[in-house]
Amino acid sequence: MAERLNADEVQLSVPSKMSGGAIQENWKLDADVTGGSYAGPLALVLRTDAPSGVSVSHPRAHEFALLKAAFAAGATVPEPLALDADGDVVGKPFYLMRRATGTADPRFLSRDKALDPHRSELTEAIGRELARIHSITPPNEDLAFLPLDTRPPVTRRLDEFRAQLDDLPQAYPTLEWAIRWMDLNTPSNSATVLGHGDYRCGNIMADGPTVTAVLDWEFASWSDPMEDVGWICARCWRFGADGRRVGGIGDLADLRRGYESESERYPDWDRIGFWEVLATVRWAIIALQQGQRHLSGEERSMELALTGRKAAEMELDLLKQIRAIEENGDG
Amino acid sequence: MADRPNREELLAAAEETLREAVLPSLDGQAKYAALMVAAALGTVRREIDAGAGSSRRTLDAYAGLYGEDNVHRSGQTVEQRITALSRDLASEIRAGAYDRSLLGPVLPFSKFR
C-alpha cells in the first residue's frame, strides 16, 4: 500500500462493511499516510467480490481500469488507488479507492424538496460528467477487455435482448413487439464511446448541486452516447417523480446544456424517445431475470419476486411510449 | 367455498393488520421487508378482485387473431393456452409477420380512424 502511494508509511483502520451489494462487497476504512503526495488522512473504500458473487459484470481488475480511465478523463469518480488483482493479500481480488462524500439515495435525489433549489445545476453537472465519460473512445489499450463489436451498438443490444428472452421459460409478446419496433426505427449510430451502462440515481452521488462521484462501473461497454441518456431518462428510473425526466432529478434541457458545455460531440438528442424505449425493454428483461432467480430457487427473495412482476409495468410503459412517439414524434 | 370471511376478506384483513398494527413499530430492514410483504399481498388481492376477467380478455384477443378453435387446441387450462399462444405470437412478431400493422392495436385513436 505504502509503495502504491509512494508513501513512507500507511496506517489502516479496521474495515467495516458497507450496506448493499449482492455481487460485490464494499468495506469502509481510513488510512493515515506519512510522506508522499497522499500524506495525511485518507478516507477509503475497499471493493471486493461477495462470497456468492456469480455475475456477468466486470471483474474487479477491469472495474479498476475503468475507474482509472474515467478519472484520467476528468470524470468525478472515486480516485482508484491500489489494486490486488490476484487475491494475494486478502484471498480474493480487491481494490482501494477514495471514499466519496454526498448521497446516492434515489428517494432523496428524486423527491426531497431540500434539493429543489439545486436541481437545475445538479442536472447540468450530471450532463457534464456524462460528456467526460463519453470522451473516452475506442480503441483504448487499457480497456482492451471491453469487446469491440462490429455491429452498431443498437443492433448488438437488440440481439442481446432476444437471446436473453430466449433464456426465459415464458415468451413476452409485448417486449418482442417493442424490440421489433426498434428494429424498424433504429437511429443511425452517431458515435461509439465508453458508455457507463448504469448511469442513474443510485449510482450517482451528489451533494447539493455538485456530483461527488459516479459509481458502479460494472456494466460499462462501448456504446452509443444516447444509450446512457435514455437509461437515466427512462420513466423506471424517475422514482415516481415523473415530471422530471432526468432520473427524477431535473430536466433534459439542463442535462443537455451540461453535456454540450463539456463536449464537442453532439448526440442525436431528438431520438431520446427511442433510447427510452430501449432502456425500458432492458429494465423489463432484468426484472424478469431477477424474478426467475427467485423462482428457480437460485436465490429465494421477496424483493426478487416483486421485481419480476415489475416487468408488467414496463410492458404498459412501452405501449404508451411507442404510441406517444408515433403520434407526436420522438423527443 | 361459502365460508365467511372468505379469502378476499381474510387477505384484506391480513394486509390491514400488517399496515396498521405491525409496520408502525418496525424500522430499517424489518420495515422494508414488511412493506414488500404488504405490496405482495396487495397484488394478490387485486388479482383476486379482478377475477377471471383479465385471462378471459387475453384469450378473447387471441381468438380474434387465431380463431376460437385454435385457442381451444392450444392447451388444457387457461394458463397453458395463454403461455402457448404468447409463445406463438412472440415468435411471429420477431419474424416480422406483423411489420405492416405493427402499430395497429396500439394506435386506435388518431392514426387509424
Side-chain angles (χ1 to χ4, degrees):
Chain A
M1 179 75 192
E3 195 183 306
R4 298 285 164 84
L5 299 181
N6 288 319
D8 301 326
E9 198 189 338
V10 178
Q11 299 266 2
L12 293 174
S13 69
V14 177
S16 63
K17 198 169 164 183
M18 299 166 82
S19 62
I23 299 164
Q24 285 85 34
E25 282 177 2
N26 294 307
W27 297 77
K28 180 175 166 173
L29 71 164
D30 295 292
D32 196 1
V33 182
T34 314
S37 52
Y38 292 92
L42 197 56
L44 298 171
V45 171
L46 183 156
R47 188 161 160 96
T48 186
D49 301 308
S52 63
V54 190
S55 79
V56 292
S57 59
H58 295 302
R60 301 294 72 74
H62 293 179
E63 243 176 56
F64 189 76
L66 285 159
L67 274 181
K68 271 174 68 174
F71 188 76
T76 309
V77 298
E79 182 181 356
L81 296 170
L83 166 75
D84 174 24
D86 305 318
D88 293 340
V89 181
V90 297
K92 51 188 179 180
F94 75 93
Y95 63 85
L96 285 166
M97 57 187 159
R98 237 187 239 274
R99 192 163 74 235
T101 56
T103 177
D105 180 4
R107 269 141 212 92
F108 174 77
L109 293 173
S110 57
R111 292 191 210 149
D112 205 301
K113 291 219 177 321
L115 193 64
D116 285 355
H118 306 304
R119 289 194 178 280
S120 169
E121 213 180 322
L122 177 60
T123 309
E124 212 177 309
I126 290 171
R128 273 199 306 277
E129 290 303 328
L130 196 56
R132 288 175 188 147
I133 295 165
H134 290 172
S135 71
I136 303 166
T137 53
N140 182 310
E141 227 172 76
D142 299 328
L143 303 178
F145 54 87
L146 294 177
L148 194 50
D149 210 295
T150 50
R151 291 168 293 176
V154 176
T155 312
R156 174 178 53 82
R157 269 285 182 230
L158 298 184
D159 287 348
E160 261 172 40
F161 290 161
R162 282 183 278 254
Q164 289 165 337
L165 285 172
D166 287 341
D167 283 340
L168 291 167
Q170 276 179 287
Y172 297 87
T174 311
L175 300 182
E176 292 287 349
W177 172 78
I179 291 170
R180 190 64 193 153
W181 179 85
M182 286 191 279
D183 270 336
L184 302 175
N185 290 279
T186 299
S188 56
N189 181 214
S190 57
T192 300
V193 301
L194 182 69
H196 177 278
D198 201 8
Y199 197 68
R200 61 170 173 89
C201 257
N203 292 334
I204 299 170
M205 292 189 79
D207 185 2
T210 314
V211 173
T212 54
V214 178
L215 308 173
D216 284 348
W217 289 77
E218 55 201 90
F219 298 106
S221 70
W222 300 121
S223 183
D224 188 290
M226 282 302 286
E227 186 171 9
D228 280 335
V229 178
W231 188 244
I232 195 174
C233 287
R235 200 191 65 88
C236 48
W237 295 123
R238 292 181 203 160
F239 297 91
D242 276 354
R244 291 193 282 265
R245 196 170 191 173
V246 180
I249 302 173
D251 299 330
L252 185 61
D254 294 324
L255 181 96
R256 180 173 175 169
R257 193 168 55 249
Y259 194 102
E260 290 183 346
S261 74
E262 192 67 34
S263 173
E264 300 290 302
R265 197 183 308 286
Y266 295 105
D268 195 353
W269 300 99
D270 293 342
R271 296 302 307 274
I272 177 69
F274 174 93
W275 292 99
E276 286 180 359
V277 168
L278 186 129
T280 307
V281 170
R282 183 176 162 210
W283 177 210
I285 293 173
I286 293 171
L288 291 169
Q289 289 172 331
Q290 297 204 348
Q292 196 51 37
R293 264 167 69 200
H294 169 79
L295 286 174
S296 69
E298 183 192 332
E299 188 185 346
R300 300 284 296 174
S301 144
M302 181 81 261
E303 185 168 22
L304 292 177
L306 284 176
T307 305
R309 291 292 294 263
K310 281 262 172 203
E313 273 178 45
M314 302 307 128
E315 289 182 323
L316 179 60
D317 256 4
L318 287 165
L319 292 167
K320 290 181 184 167
Q321 282 173 20
I322 292 177
R323 174 169 165 173
I325 292 170
E326 290 291 343
E327 287 187 335
N328 309 317
D330 224 327
Chain B
M1 291 283 188
D3 293 343
R4 298 282 299 269
N6 61 26
R7 57 183 186 170
E8 290 92 333
E9 289 157 344
L10 281 175
L11 200 56
E15 204 185 335
E16 272 169 41
T17 308
L18 183 63
R19 287 195 185 276
E20 284 158 27
V22 182
L23 261 166
S25 61
L26 300 177
D27 49 26
Q29 284 296 104
K31 182 175 183 177
Y32 185 56
L35 279 170
M36 289 194 292
V37 173
L41 291 179
T43 301
V44 174
R45 181 175 46 75
R46 285 191 296 277
E47 278 195 9
I48 292 175
D49 287 348
S54 72
S55 302
R56 190 62 254 165
R57 282 198 298 280
T58 304
L59 286 182
D60 284 349
Y62 276 127
L65 191 60
Y66 295 127
E68 199 69 56
D69 289 357
N70 287 317
V71 169
H72 275 284
R73 273 196 289 272
S74 65
Q76 299 289 319
T77 66
V78 169
E79 229 168 59
Q80 280 172 3
R81 287 174 185 175
I82 291 177
T83 302
L85 295 164
S86 297
R87 188 162 294 288
D88 290 348
L89 180 59
S91 66
E92 288 166 11
I93 291 171
R94 189 185 290 196
Y98 298 97
D99 282 0
R100 287 177 55 191
S101 56
L102 201 63
L103 300 161
V106 183
L107 292 176
F109 304 131
S110 58
K111 288 219 167 167
F112 292 85
R113 190 151 57 188

mmCIF file of all heavy atoms in Angstrom, chain A residues 43 47-48 61 74 76-77 94 96 98 106 108 130 143 146 155 166 180 195 218 254 263 266 288 294 313 321:
data_model
loop_
_atom_site.group_PDB
_atom_site.id
_atom_site.type_symbol
_atom_site.label_atom_id
_atom_site.label_comp_id
_atom_site.label_asym_id
_atom_site.label_seq_id
_atom_site.Cartn_x
_atom_site.Cartn_y
_atom_site.Cartn_z
ATOM 1 N N ALA A 43 -9.690 8.866 3.406
ATOM 2 C CA ALA A 43 -10.907 8.054 3.574
ATOM 3 C C ALA A 43 -11.015 7.101 2.399
ATOM 4 O O ALA A 43 -10.963 7.521 1.252
ATOM 5 C CB ALA A 43 -12.128 8.960 3.649
ATOM 6 N N ARG A 47 -13.148 -2.499 -2.269
ATOM 7 C CA ARG A 47 -14.217 -3.204 -3.002
ATOM 8 C C ARG A 47 -13.717 -4.576 -3.421
ATOM 9 O O ARG A 47 -12.631 -4.711 -3.990
ATOM 10 C CB ARG A 47 -14.602 -2.375 -4.224
ATOM 11 C CG ARG A 47 -15.825 -2.891 -4.980
ATOM 12 C CD ARG A 47 -16.369 -1.772 -5.846
ATOM 13 N NE ARG A 47 -17.214 -2.208 -6.918
ATOM 14 C CZ ARG A 47 -18.547 -2.235 -6.855
ATOM 15 N NH1 ARG A 47 -19.169 -1.876 -5.744
ATOM 16 N NH2 ARG A 47 -19.261 -2.624 -7.898
ATOM 17 N N THR A 48 -14.529 -5.580 -3.107
ATOM 18 C CA THR A 48 -14.132 -6.949 -3.433
ATOM 19 C C THR A 48 -15.371 -7.779 -3.781
ATOM 20 O O THR A 48 -16.490 -7.283 -3.697
ATOM 21 C CB THR A 48 -13.344 -7.571 -2.244
ATOM 22 O OG1 THR A 48 -12.852 -8.849 -2.630
ATOM 23 C CG2 THR A 48 -14.224 -7.735 -1.017
ATOM 24 N N ALA A 61 -10.511 -6.188 -11.435
ATOM 25 C CA ALA A 61 -9.371 -5.570 -12.137
ATOM 26 C C ALA A 61 -9.872 -4.697 -13.289
ATOM 27 O O ALA A 61 -9.321 -3.623 -13.564
ATOM 28 C CB ALA A 61 -8.434 -6.652 -12.661
ATOM 29 N N GLY A 74 -11.098 13.050 -16.472
ATOM 30 C CA GLY A 74 -11.617 14.199 -15.740
ATOM 31 C C GLY A 74 -13.005 13.982 -15.148
ATOM 32 O O GLY A 74 -13.607 14.912 -14.619
ATOM 33 N N THR A 76 -15.769 12.763 -12.432
ATOM 34 C CA THR A 76 -15.752 12.743 -10.974
ATOM 35 C C THR A 76 -16.057 11.331 -10.491
ATOM 36 O O THR A 76 -17.198 10.959 -10.300
ATOM 37 C CB THR A 76 -16.787 13.740 -10.422
ATOM 38 O OG1 THR A 76 -16.575 14.998 -11.061
ATOM 39 C CG2 THR A 76 -16.629 13.906 -8.927
ATOM 40 N N VAL A 77 -15.006 10.548 -10.351
ATOM 41 C CA VAL A 77 -15.149 9.184 -9.838
ATOM 42 C C VAL A 77 -14.245 9.058 -8.622
ATOM 43 O O VAL A 77 -13.312 9.852 -8.460
ATOM 44 C CB VAL A 77 -14.760 8.126 -10.898
ATOM 45 C CG1 VAL A 77 -15.678 8.217 -12.103
ATOM 46 C CG2 VAL A 77 -13.310 8.273 -11.326
ATOM 47 N N PHE A 94 -9.150 -7.409 -4.866
ATOM 48 C CA PHE A 94 -9.829 -6.212 -4.350
ATOM 49 C C PHE A 94 -9.105 -4.982 -4.873
ATOM 50 O O PHE A 94 -7.997 -5.077 -5.407
ATOM 51 C CB PHE A 94 -9.822 -6.196 -2.810
ATOM 52 C CG PHE A 94 -8.485 -5.831 -2.202
ATOM 53 C CD1 PHE A 94 -8.180 -4.505 -1.872
ATOM 54 C CD2 PHE A 94 -7.533 -6.811 -1.973
ATOM 55 C CE1 PHE A 94 -6.942 -4.174 -1.319
ATOM 56 C CE2 PHE A 94 -6.290 -6.489 -1.413
ATOM 57 C CZ PHE A 94 -5.997 -5.172 -1.096
ATOM 58 N N LEU A 96 -8.645 -0.545 -3.806
ATOM 59 C CA LEU A 96 -8.915 0.553 -2.889
ATOM 60 C C LEU A 96 -9.157 1.813 -3.686
ATOM 61 O O LEU A 96 -8.478 2.072 -4.685
ATOM 62 C CB LEU A 96 -7.714 0.781 -1.965
ATOM 63 C CG LEU A 96 -7.504 -0.230 -0.841
ATOM 64 C CD1 LEU A 96 -6.108 -0.066 -0.254
ATOM 65 C CD2 LEU A 96 -8.562 -0.062 0.251
ATOM 66 N N ARG A 98 -10.666 6.128 -3.173
ATOM 67 C CA ARG A 98 -11.030 7.180 -2.242
ATOM 68 C C ARG A 98 -12.526 7.092 -1.947
ATOM 69 O O ARG A 98 -13.313 6.751 -2.819
ATOM 70 C CB ARG A 98 -10.753 8.540 -2.897
ATOM 71 C CG ARG A 98 -9.830 9.409 -2.116
ATOM 72 C CD ARG A 98 -9.793 10.754 -2.793
ATOM 73 N NE ARG A 98 -8.457 11.134 -3.226
ATOM 74 C CZ ARG A 98 -7.584 11.741 -2.430
ATOM 75 N NH1 ARG A 98 -7.888 12.010 -1.184
ATOM 76 N NH2 ARG A 98 -6.405 12.081 -2.892
ATOM 77 N N PRO A 106 -31.760 7.460 -4.049
ATOM 78 C CA PRO A 106 -32.688 7.890 -5.105
ATOM 79 C C PRO A 106 -33.892 8.635 -4.544
ATOM 80 O O PRO A 106 -34.394 9.557 -5.175
ATOM 81 C CB PRO A 106 -33.140 6.579 -5.745
ATOM 82 C CG PRO A 106 -32.098 5.584 -5.389
ATOM 83 C CD PRO A 106 -31.570 6.012 -4.053
ATOM 84 N N PHE A 108 -34.076 10.601 -1.963
ATOM 85 C CA PHE A 108 -33.701 11.987 -1.689
ATOM 86 C C PHE A 108 -33.541 12.768 -2.996
ATOM 87 O O PHE A 108 -34.101 13.848 -3.172
ATOM 88 C CB PHE A 108 -32.398 12.053 -0.876
ATOM 89 C CG PHE A 108 -31.898 13.465 -0.699
ATOM 90 C CD1 PHE A 108 -32.483 14.312 0.224
ATOM 91 C CD2 PHE A 108 -30.870 13.957 -1.501
ATOM 92 C CE1 PHE A 108 -32.053 15.628 0.358
ATOM 93 C CE2 PHE A 108 -30.428 15.272 -1.365
ATOM 94 C CZ PHE A 108 -31.023 16.109 -0.426
ATOM 95 N N LEU A 130 -21.352 13.019 -17.771
ATOM 96 C CA LEU A 130 -21.607 12.043 -18.826
ATOM 97 C C LEU A 130 -20.743 12.358 -20.049
ATOM 98 O O LEU A 130 -20.161 11.458 -20.660
ATOM 99 C CB LEU A 130 -23.093 12.045 -19.186
ATOM 100 C CG LEU A 130 -23.579 10.840 -19.982
ATOM 101 C CD1 LEU A 130 -23.261 9.532 -19.264
ATOM 102 C CD2 LEU A 130 -25.092 10.931 -20.240
ATOM 103 N N LEU A 143 -8.386 -0.477 -21.891
ATOM 104 C CA LEU A 143 -9.742 -1.038 -21.802
ATOM 105 C C LEU A 143 -9.940 -2.119 -22.867
ATOM 106 O O LEU A 143 -11.049 -2.341 -23.356
ATOM 107 C CB LEU A 143 -10.790 0.074 -21.971
ATOM 108 C CG LEU A 143 -10.698 1.246 -20.974
ATOM 109 C CD1 LEU A 143 -11.761 2.299 -21.287
ATOM 110 C CD2 LEU A 143 -10.862 0.758 -19.530
ATOM 111 N N LEU A 146 -12.845 -4.692 -23.007
ATOM 112 C CA LEU A 146 -14.209 -4.401 -23.454
ATOM 113 C C LEU A 146 -14.366 -4.871 -24.891
ATOM 114 O O LEU A 146 -13.626 -4.428 -25.763
ATOM 115 C CB LEU A 146 -14.493 -2.887 -23.390
ATOM 116 C CG LEU A 146 -14.526 -2.216 -22.022
ATOM 117 C CD1 LEU A 146 -14.755 -0.710 -22.194
ATOM 118 C CD2 LEU A 146 -15.619 -2.806 -21.144
ATOM 119 N N THR A 155 -27.902 -2.600 -32.697
ATOM 120 C CA THR A 155 -28.084 -3.956 -33.216
ATOM 121 C C THR A 155 -27.587 -4.980 -32.199
ATOM 122 O O THR A 155 -28.237 -5.992 -31.937
ATOM 123 C CB THR A 155 -27.307 -4.121 -34.535
ATOM 124 O OG1 THR A 155 -27.607 -3.005 -35.359
ATOM 125 C CG2 THR A 155 -27.675 -5.400 -35.239
ATOM 126 N N ASP A 166 -34.934 -15.513 -24.933
ATOM 127 C CA ASP A 166 -34.963 -16.937 -25.255
ATOM 128 C C ASP A 166 -34.554 -17.804 -24.066
ATOM 129 O O ASP A 166 -34.907 -18.981 -23.994
ATOM 130 C CB ASP A 166 -34.049 -17.241 -26.448
ATOM 131 C CG ASP A 166 -34.651 -16.727 -27.750
ATOM 132 O OD1 ASP A 166 -35.886 -16.478 -27.770
ATOM 133 O OD2 ASP A 166 -33.913 -16.567 -28.737
ATOM 134 N N ARG A 180 -39.116 -5.348 -31.984
ATOM 135 C CA ARG A 180 -39.339 -5.291 -33.440
ATOM 136 C C ARG A 180 -39.513 -3.836 -33.887
ATOM 137 O O ARG A 180 -38.978 -3.428 -34.919
ATOM 138 C CB ARG A 180 -40.584 -6.117 -33.806
ATOM 139 C CG ARG A 180 -40.770 -6.321 -35.296
ATOM 140 C CD ARG A 180 -39.631 -7.135 -35.886
ATOM 141 N NE ARG A 180 -39.648 -7.083 -37.346
ATOM 142 C CZ ARG A 180 -38.586 -7.236 -38.114
ATOM 143 N NH1 ARG A 180 -37.393 -7.467 -37.571
ATOM 144 N NH2 ARG A 180 -38.693 -7.181 -39.412
ATOM 145 N N GLY A 195 -19.705 3.836 -22.741
ATOM 146 C CA GLY A 195 -20.971 4.017 -22.032
ATOM 147 C C GLY A 195 -20.819 3.490 -20.617
ATOM 148 O O GLY A 195 -20.210 2.442 -20.403
ATOM 149 N N GLU A 218 -19.631 -1.529 -13.378
ATOM 150 C CA GLU A 218 -19.565 -2.933 -13.781
ATOM 151 C C GLU A 218 -20.270 -3.237 -15.100
ATOM 152 O O GLU A 218 -20.082 -4.305 -15.650
ATOM 153 C CB GLU A 218 -20.099 -3.806 -12.645
ATOM 154 C CG GLU A 218 -21.476 -3.413 -12.197
ATOM 155 C CD GLU A 218 -21.780 -3.906 -10.786
ATOM 156 O OE1 GLU A 218 -21.490 -3.159 -9.842
ATOM 157 O OE2 GLU A 218 -22.302 -5.010 -10.650
ATOM 158 N N ASP A 254 -31.465 20.782 -19.109
ATOM 159 C CA ASP A 254 -30.318 21.029 -18.224
ATOM 160 C C ASP A 254 -29.206 20.009 -18.476
ATOM 161 O O ASP A 254 -28.025 20.365 -18.549
ATOM 162 C CB ASP A 254 -30.754 20.955 -16.756
ATOM 163 C CG ASP A 254 -31.712 22.083 -16.395
ATOM 164 O OD1 ASP A 254 -31.533 23.199 -16.915
ATOM 165 O OD2 ASP A 254 -32.638 21.841 -15.607
ATOM 166 N N SER A 263 -18.503 18.939 -24.235
ATOM 167 C CA SER A 263 -18.197 18.011 -25.314
ATOM 168 C C SER A 263 -18.344 18.652 -26.680
ATOM 169 O O SER A 263 -19.199 19.503 -26.898
ATOM 170 C CB SER A 263 -19.147 16.812 -25.213
ATOM 171 O OG SER A 263 -18.992 15.975 -26.326
ATOM 172 N N TYR A 266 -22.071 15.868 -30.462
ATOM 173 C CA TYR A 266 -23.487 16.162 -30.303
ATOM 174 C C TYR A 266 -24.323 14.924 -30.552
ATOM 175 O O TYR A 266 -24.564 14.553 -31.685
ATOM 176 C CB TYR A 266 -23.906 17.311 -31.226
ATOM 177 C CG TYR A 266 -23.224 18.592 -30.839
ATOM 178 C CD1 TYR A 266 -22.166 19.104 -31.578
ATOM 179 C CD2 TYR A 266 -23.608 19.268 -29.676
ATOM 180 C CE1 TYR A 266 -21.513 20.260 -31.187
ATOM 181 C CE2 TYR A 266 -22.958 20.427 -29.278
ATOM 182 C CZ TYR A 266 -21.914 20.912 -30.035
ATOM 183 O OH TYR A 266 -21.270 22.050 -29.638
ATOM 184 N N LEU A 288 -37.411 -9.509 -15.221
ATOM 185 C CA LEU A 288 -37.821 -10.905 -15.438
ATOM 186 C C LEU A 288 -36.726 -11.869 -14.999
ATOM 187 O O LEU A 288 -36.997 -12.914 -14.392
ATOM 188 C CB LEU A 288 -38.155 -11.128 -16.923
ATOM 189 C CG LEU A 288 -39.418 -10.417 -17.418
ATOM 190 C CD1 LEU A 288 -39.507 -10.485 -18.940
ATOM 191 C CD2 LEU A 288 -40.667 -11.023 -16.779
ATOM 192 N N HIS A 294 -35.498 -15.931 -8.305
ATOM 193 C CA HIS A 294 -36.315 -16.347 -7.163
ATOM 194 C C HIS A 294 -37.016 -17.669 -7.477
ATOM 195 O O HIS A 294 -36.960 -18.612 -6.693
ATOM 196 C CB HIS A 294 -37.330 -15.268 -6.828
ATOM 197 C CG HIS A 294 -38.373 -15.694 -5.851
ATOM 198 N ND1 HIS A 294 -38.142 -15.750 -4.487
ATOM 199 C CD2 HIS A 294 -39.642 -16.138 -6.023
ATOM 200 C CE1 HIS A 294 -39.225 -16.198 -3.878
ATOM 201 N NE2 HIS A 294 -40.148 -16.437 -4.788
ATOM 202 N N GLU A 313 -45.369 -3.639 -15.575
ATOM 203 C CA GLU A 313 -45.433 -2.169 -15.621
ATOM 204 C C GLU A 313 -44.641 -1.631 -16.809
ATOM 205 O O GLU A 313 -45.046 -0.681 -17.477
ATOM 206 C CB GLU A 313 -44.810 -1.564 -14.357
ATOM 207 C CG GLU A 313 -45.744 -1.418 -13.204
ATOM 208 C CD GLU A 313 -45.000 -0.862 -11.991
ATOM 209 O OE1 GLU A 313 -44.216 0.092 -12.127
ATOM 210 O OE2 GLU A 313 -45.194 -1.430 -10.897
ATOM 211 N N GLN A 321 -45.260 4.573 -24.477
ATOM 212 C CA GLN A 321 -44.123 5.328 -25.028
ATOM 213 C C GLN A 321 -44.108 5.275 -26.549
ATOM 214 O O GLN A 321 -43.930 6.299 -27.212
ATOM 215 C CB GLN A 321 -42.794 4.734 -24.528
ATOM 216 C CG GLN A 321 -42.425 5.112 -23.108
ATOM 217 C CD GLN A 321 -41.189 4.345 -22.632
ATOM 218 O OE1 GLN A 321 -40.411 3.837 -23.425
ATOM 219 N NE2 GLN A 321 -41.012 4.256 -21.336
#
